[in-house]
Amino acid sequence: MLDVRITAHQPLALGVRPAGTAPVATHLHIPGSVLRGALAAAWLLDHGPLAQAPTRARREFLALFEGQVAYGPLFAPGSHVVPLSVLRCKYRCGLVVDEAFPGQETRSCPCGPLEPGRGAVEFAGPGRGQRVTENTRLQIDDRTGVAEEGLLFTRRALAHRDAQGGLRTFHGRLSAGSDLPEAAARWLAATRRLRLGGRRSTSGSVTFTAHRAERPRPVSGQRLALRLTAPAVLTDASGLPLDPADLRAVREALRSELSPLLGGAEVTAVERVWARRERVGGWHAASRLPKPVELAVSAGSVLLLAFDRPPAPEALGALAARGLGLRRHEGFGALEVATTSWVPPAGSEPAPDGAAGSDPAERPARLLHSTGHAAWFLDQLRPYVLQPGDGPAGPATALLGRPQLRRLTPSQRQEVTDLLENASAELLDRVLLLLEALHRFSTDGAPSS
């Protein structure tokens, strides 16, 4: 087991599959498949083309990149995958409920509705700040060598500096099997410079460092949650993609895969599954061919399992290091094993962006103030505190059609709409009190002409 640290020196173009004409998006973490590809390119640079390498070197290559080495995802400090089983307050007041291990937590929040996790990577705490940069280029005509009229190409990249201006780092783990040759293990643990992602001529420069670490020993129990941190390629006995909604088929597939690894502890039931599916593929740079496209269970999915007896902690550690499903050596199937409710990493649930404190009313108050129509909102929204829902002017969202608000940005309009549609009378009253204070402060503190 190796603890891996990646230090970015340039933006990382970790492209997600393009959707239509939208800008090419980027991952907010380093998928294990990206790290594996970069290390494979570095190995070929060190040893030459595989077809010309000696037999011993070819065996090392196959052991490193086609064997039992599992390349897990790497995350920046302050970032994490939010499981699909988690419910959180829409206004991020701090309420978190994990449906996989329900306790005495309330299922409602006075700030607003609860939203399920989306399985996405989110930044919080010290990892906040600019996360994504955009680079727009002209498309060049191959025949004439000049820019084609009206054709632009925009690519997004993960910023290489954090909110404090320091180089962004990413942390994860590699799990190597006991059959890995000693020379290959030494090569894998060496510090080196790599190029990650796309646009490698102008971006993607990182420093790779690794050191040996002990295999984790998760707490065991008869009810375990497997939380995927990378897409998993799960199949049934016939090799067809597994349907997460078919709990019986999921149980049989997991029982067949996990029983030998967990020392005979068998899955007796799949109590519930929170899952989404996606198509995963990629590009094989060495052969310049696309990789096969698979139907996979998305990262953030959760499988809640019941066992006939608690598996040994050492066996669960081996499972966490190995992963789940097929193509694990390509970065698929990484997971975490849990027996308790998910909680955000320490310091990762502060007030939302732009809010200075933890009062759930502070963000919407600052949002309304930033529109430049604070006094108008104070006058128009007060009736909706006294008469929630429909006031004398009709539904609250009708206010957005007034001439004063035509210059709102799309994001401002969406957030104001969400506030008017979902906020309780108590929260809206608090918002207006803070808005009045902000307006009075800015008016009284403004320099006289």
Side-chain angles (χ1 to χ4, degrees):
M1 177 73 73
L2 294 177
D3 273 339
V4 174
R5 174 190 173 101
I6 293 288
T7 303
H9 304 285
Q10 291 178 321
L12 305 178
L14 310 174
V16 182
R17 297 178 66 189
T21 58
V24 177
T26 181
H27 290 286
L28 297 183
H29 71 297
I30 301 176
S33 58
V34 173
L35 178 60
R36 172 178 175 267
L39 286 171
W43 192 97
L44 293 174
L45 188 63
D46 291 345
H47 298 83
L50 192 60
Q52 302 174 13
T55 301
R56 178 185 56 81
R58 288 200 298 270
R59 288 175 178 171
E60 290 179 2
F61 181 89
L62 293 176
L64 283 168
F65 305 110
E66 300 292 341
Q68 299 302 314
V69 180
Y71 294 86
L74 294 93
F75 299 94
S79 67
H80 51 270
V81 176
V82 182
L84 298 177
S85 63
V86 167
L87 301 174
R88 296 178 299 167
C89 174
K90 183 173 184 175
Y91 298 102
R92 301 296 185 266
C93 69
L95 177 65
V96 176
V97 177
D98 188 349
E99 291 187 305
F101 299 99
Q104 301 301 319
E105 304 95 336
T106 177
R107 294 302 184 92
S108 62
C109 180
C111 307
L114 297 183
E115 290 184 328
R118 300 179 180 179
V121 175
E122 295 186 4
F123 274 75
R128 286 176 175 267
Q130 185 184 25
R131 300 186 295 272
V132 176
T133 62
E134 282 194 358
N135 189 5
T136 301
R137 298 174 180 270
L138 298 170
Q139 181 166 314
I140 304 299
D141 190 312
D142 293 335
R143 294 179 295 100
T144 63
V146 299
E148 294 191 29
E149 184 178 354
L151 293 180
L152 298 176
F153 181 77
T154 300
R155 180 186 293 274
R156 291 173 178 156
L158 183 56
H160 66 294
R161 294 192 180 275
D162 57 23
Q164 288 73 40
L167 294 178
R168 199 184 296 278
T169 60
F170 300 83
H171 303 267
R173 288 190 167 182
L174 302 183
S175 175
S178 58
D179 59 343
L180 187 66
E182 184 178 350
R186 287 198 304 270
W187 183 91
L188 188 60
T191 299
R192 57 174 46 86
R193 293 295 285 266
L194 297 175
R195 290 279 180 177
L196 299 184
R199 310 294 300 181
R200 288 189 292 271
S201 61
T202 57
S203 64
S205 176
V206 303
T207 298
F208 169 92
T209 57
H211 64 274
R212 296 193 178 279
E214 294 294 327
R215 180 172 288 177
R217 290 167 51 92
V219 177
S220 186
Q222 285 190 256
R223 295 177 72 250
L224 298 174
L226 305 185
R227 298 177 181 139
L228 297 180
T229 56
V233 181
L234 305 179
T235 60
D236 59 20
S238 62
L240 295 175
L242 197 62
D243 181 3
D246 188 346
L247 299 186
R248 182 176 180 180
V250 173
R251 183 194 64 190
E252 294 304 318
L254 294 182
R255 177 182 293 176
S256 174
E257 180 175 357
L258 299 185
S259 292
L261 186 65
L262 300 182
E266 291 193 355
V267 178
T268 58
V270 178
E271 296 187 2
R272 188 172 174 185
V273 173
W274 296 261
R276 291 178 179 174
R277 293 200 286 182
E278 63 180 283
R279 296 189 181 275
V280 296
W283 181 259
H284 193 266
S287 63
R288 297 183 179 181
L289 291 172
K291 293 182 179 180
V293 176
E294 304 271 11
L295 187 60
V297 179
S298 302
S301 298
V302 179
L303 295 87
L304 184 61
L305 311 179
F307 289 82
D308 59 350
R309 67 176 186 271
E314 296 81 3
L316 291 179
L319 171 61
R322 171 188 180 271
L324 193 66
L326 305 180
R327 298 174 65 178
R328 297 186 305 277
H329 65 283
E330 296 182 39
F332 294 102
L335 57 83
E336 298 173 348
V337 180
T339 57
T340 58
S341 299
W342 182 84
V343 294
S348 67
E349 283 291 328
D353 288 333
S358 58
D359 189 338
E362 188 167 354
R363 176 185 174 88
R366 289 181 179 275
L367 170 67
L368 296 179
H369 185 262
S370 69
T371 65
H373 301 290
W376 186 84
F377 273 118
L378 286 169
D379 180 63
Q380 296 295 321
L381 292 180
R382 181 57 61 184
Y384 296 96
V385 175
L386 302 177
Q387 302 178 33
D390 292 339
T397 51
L399 299 176
L400 296 174
R402 301 287 186 86
Q404 293 90 335
L405 305 182
R406 287 177 179 171
R407 294 186 179 181
L408 292 186
T409 66
S411 61
Q412 286 178 329
R413 180 173 294 276
Q414 182 60 49
E415 291 197 52
V416 173
T417 300
D418 291 341
L419 172 69
L420 298 180
E421 288 182 341
N422 300 316
S424 64
E426 293 78 13
L427 176 60
L428 189 57
D429 183 47
R430 177 65 179 162
V431 168
L432 294 183
L433 289 174
L434 292 177
L435 178 61
E436 184 176 9
L438 288 170
H439 179 61
R440 187 185 307 115
F441 177 81
S442 61
T443 304
D444 295 345
S448 58
S449 56

